[in-house]
Amino acid sequence: MSESYSRLVLDAFETADTLVPLKVLRPSFLEDLFKHVAVQTVFAGQVIFENGSYDKQHIYLQNGHVELEYESGIVELVRARETSTPLAHQQPRPCRCVAQSDCTLLRIDSDRVDRTLSWSQISDYLLSELSLERDYDEDIEWMQTVLNSNLFLKAPPVNAEQIFSRLTPMVVYKGEVIIREGEIGDCCYFIKEGQADVTVREDDSDAVTLVADIQSGRCFGEDA
């Protein structure tokens, strides 16, 4: 990824809290979503999408201005920073979209947006429910971290409460090995307190290399 493209993605991320519906996402969910966005530069006169087309994307105008041309003859001029919603967000597209200047677009898969929104909303709901349970008072902060973790972003939102109900405590002492490379795994682990190192053994050697440091609230072993 070039430095200039990385800058475009960063600039887009900095305006994400003004975009509908992205602005309602919890920060960690928004960060994960932006790992999958595409920033596109188009030139004046270029067609962005045709009337009646399907692309299953949220397309945001970051810079420049475009025209939306409807079959009825209505033409709408849309300028960046004057709109916070995706361009003509219907499937099939209800109009033709043509760049009237050089433009920068932000494209995001609509299914991914919907899934991320669902997870963010479920996270808010579960935290509000947990806050009413006195038995969980000491665990609220940790559970909030878990709900924002990498595992929950991979699982269907409807499974959230079921995942929590299956968590069981496990005490591990310093220096103890939890899982080994090559072993068959049947569960994943969340770190409630403390931290763990992930290491790999060099070929034909007893030397090990540290590849990650996992902090409280994160999980590992989920690929099993």
Side-chain angles (χ1 to χ4, degrees):
M1 183 182 295
S2 69
E3 183 177 346
S4 60
Y5 184 82
S6 297
R7 168 50 60 181
L8 288 174
V9 175
L10 180 59
D11 289 345
F13 180 75
E14 290 175 347
T15 65
D17 60 355
T18 66
L19 302 178
V20 177
L22 308 187
K23 64 182 182 180
V24 303
L25 290 173
R26 303 173 67 84
S28 60
F29 290 98
L30 187 60
E31 289 175 11
D32 183 79
L33 181 64
F34 262 74
K35 295 175 183 176
H36 307 280
V37 304
V39 179
Q40 178 188 20
T41 299
V42 297
F43 303 103
Q46 187 172 341
V47 176
I48 297 171
F49 53 77
E50 293 283 2
N51 179 38
S53 62
Y54 291 85
D55 52 54
K56 298 182 179 180
Q57 291 183 329
H58 282 56
I59 304 177
Y60 295 93
L61 181 63
Q62 292 290 295
N63 293 293
H65 54 280
V66 303
E67 277 189 354
L68 303 180
E69 305 169 354
Y70 294 86
E71 285 187 342
S72 63
I74 295 176
V75 176
E76 179 184 357
L77 180 65
V78 180
R79 299 181 184 275
R81 313 300 181 183
E82 293 181 1
T83 179
S84 60
T85 58
L87 293 170
H89 190 55
Q90 296 177 37
Q91 298 286 311
R93 294 292 183 182
C95 59
R96 189 172 191 252
C97 181
V98 182
Q100 297 301 300
S101 69
D102 293 348
C103 301
T104 304
L105 305 174
L106 179 65
R107 292 178 176 266
I108 314 175
D109 178 78
S110 293
D111 287 341
R112 187 175 294 277
V113 172
D114 293 342
R115 187 166 60 251
T116 304
L117 283 168
S118 296
W119 253 125
S120 188
Q121 292 165 358
I122 272 247
S123 175
D124 288 337
Y125 167 75
L126 288 176
L127 287 172
S128 66
E129 289 292 300
L130 290 171
S131 67
L132 300 176
E133 299 287 339
R134 290 188 176 274
D135 292 343
Y136 292 129
D137 284 350
E138 296 180 358
D139 293 329
I140 289 297
E141 184 176 351
W142 174 76
M143 288 182 170
Q144 181 172 352
T145 304
V146 169
L147 283 170
N148 292 333
S149 75
N150 47 326
L151 172 65
F152 275 74
L153 290 170
K154 298 177 183 179
V158 294
N159 291 347
E161 290 185 277
Q162 190 175 29
I163 291 174
F164 266 118
S165 70
R166 291 173 181 245
L167 292 177
T168 56
M170 174 182 177
V171 177
V172 179
Y173 297 101
K174 182 178 179 179
E176 185 176 345
V177 176
I178 303 172
I179 58 176
R180 287 183 172 85
E181 184 178 4
E183 291 182 339
I184 297 176
D186 60 359
C187 61
C188 71
Y189 302 84
F190 289 96
I191 299 180
K192 182 176 181 180
E193 295 178 1
Q195 64 183 53
D197 293 336
V198 179
T199 61
V200 294
R201 188 175 298 280
E202 303 294 338
D203 293 338
D204 302 322
S205 171
D206 291 332
V208 295
T209 301
L210 178 67
V211 295
D213 178 17
I214 309 175
Q215 302 293 326
S216 174
R218 303 300 292 176
C219 72
F220 61 92
E222 71 274 14
D223 289 339

